[in-house]
Amino acid sequence: MPERTLLDADPEIAKLIDEENRREHETMRLIASENYASRAVMEATGSVLTNKYSEGYAKKRYYEGQQVIDQVEELAIARLKKLFGATAAAGGEDDLHVNVQPYSGSPANLAVYLAFCSPGDVVMGLGLPAGGHLTHGHTVSITGKYFKSVPYGVRRDDHRIDMDEVRKLAKEHKPKLLWAGTTAYPRILDFAAFRSIADEVGAILAADIAHISGLVAAGVHPSPIGVADVVTSTTHKTFRGPRGGMIFCKKAHAAAIDKAVFPGLQGGPHNHTTAAIAVAAREALEPSFKEYAKSVVANAKVLAGALVEKGFGVTTGGTDNHLMLVDLTSKNIAGKPAAQALDRAGIVANYNAVPFDPRKPFDPSGLRIGTPAVTSRGMGKAEMEKLASWIDRVVAKSTDEAEIAKVAAEVKDLCRGFPAPGIRV
Ligand code: DSN
C-alpha cells in the first residue's frame, strides 16, 4: 500500500501548512531575524536524516550506523570553515574549529558559558533594553540567574554602544566572559575594540553574530573570527539556512566547546538540520550570496532613509546592517498597536523597545524592521520606498480598517510579483 501523504494522513496540519505558505507568500516579511530558506535547504530539513541518532562527533559516536551522518557533519564543517575562514581577521581556516550541533542560538550561547565559566562568575553583555540578547546575561535568563551579570549599554545621545563604558565596567568588574553581540542594534560592532578590552581584563571574548552571520559570511560586516575566542550564531537569519546553531572557535578551545555542546548540554544532534546547514553554506559560497548580502544592507539603508524623510524616528539615524529600530513617539502611537495594524495590512514586523524607552517591554515605543527576507524575494529600492509609504499610511490611520484593507491589497499584489524562495505558490 502506498504511504499516505501529509494531506491524507493529517489534513488539519496539511491545511495549516498550506495557510502559512500562502501567508508567507502574500505578506511582506520584515521581522529582522527571519528569512526564507531555499527549497534545497527545506528538502534537507525534511529528509530521512531526522531518523538517526548520533551522539558524539564524527568517528567518535555512541551509536553505530554513522556511515552517512559522519560525512554530512564533516561536509557542513568543511564548508563553514571555507566560508568563515575566508573572512577571518587572523588564522583563516587553519585556526578555526566549528561545531554545528547546537540546536539554535540560545543553546550555542549556553555552551559558551559551560565551556568557560562557573556559576557566580561575572559576565558582561549588551543589556536587552539596549539591543542585547536574553542569553547575554539578562535577569530573566538562566545566564542572568547563574552568573553575575553586568550589562553595558548604549550612549544616551547617539544610541551607539559606548566602548568607554564597556572598558570602565570591565576594569571595575573583571568579567570572565565578555559578549559582543546584539539582536536589535543597527550599527557595525567594533570587534577589535572588544578584543582589546577583553585582553586588558583577561576575559574570554565571545561574539554572537546570530543576526549578522550572513553579512559576515559575505564580507559585508567585519568578521569577529580570528578576533574573538569564540563566535556563536543561529543559521536561519541573514545566513538563510534552517533553524539551527553553530559555534566557531580557535582550536585551543575546541575540546571545551565540543564537550560543552555534547555531552554538556545536548544529546543527539539534529542531523537533518546539519545537512541543511551544509546546503546553506554551499549556497553562501556562491557569488550570488555576496550580492544578496550587499542588497540586504542597501535596502535597509533606503528604507531607513525613506522612513526618516517621513518623520519617523530611526535610532542612531539609520543603519549599517540589515535592520533598523523605529521610534514611533513622534507619530503618537506605541509599537504594539502599530505592529498589529501593520500585520493586518500584510506588513509583518515586531514591536520593540528603543534605547531608554520610557514604556514597558510588552508595550514599547518602537518597531524593529529588517530587510533579509524581502531582499531574498528580489525586492529593491523601489519596493523599499513603497514599503515606507505603506508603513506611513498604516501608522497614520492605524484604526481605519478600510485604509488598512487597501494597503493589504496593494501589498498582496506586489508580493505576487516577488515569489519567495522555498514557497510553493
Ligand atoms: N528571537 C531572535 C530575534 O528575533 O532576534 C533572537 O533570539
Side-chain angles (χ1 to χ4, degrees), residues 175-212:
K176 187 78 183 284
L177 178 65
L178 174 61
W179 283 105
T182 64
T183 57
Y185 184 72
R187 295 297 177 180
I188 281 176
L189 294 175
D190 187 347
F191 295 121
F194 277 105
R195 176 76 266 168
S196 75
I197 293 170
D199 287 343
E200 281 171 43
V201 300
I204 291 284
L205 178 62
D208 179 344
I209 59 168
H211 266 261
I212 55 171

Side-chain angles (χ1 to χ4, degrees), residues 69-88:
I69 299 301
D70 277 3
Q71 292 183 65
V72 168
E73 191 165 321
E74 283 177 337
L75 202 47
I77 289 169
R79 289 178 183 167
L80 290 171
K81 276 191 184 180
K82 189 166 175 205
L83 187 59
F84 286 91
T87 75

Side-chain angles (χ1 to χ4, degrees), residues 2 4 13 15 23 26 48 67 126 159 168 179 183 194 226 231 236 239 249 255 257 289 299 306 331 349 370 379:
R4 289 185 296 172
I13 285 292
K15 182 168 169 285
R23 189 194 68 80
E26 292 179 348
V48 291
Q67 295 83 348
L126 181 64
H159 296 164
K168 189 170 149 280
W179 283 105
T183 57
F194 277 105
V231 178
H236 46 271
F239 191 64
C249 64
I257 285 293
F289 191 81
N299 278 343
K331 299 287 182 182
M379 294 184 188

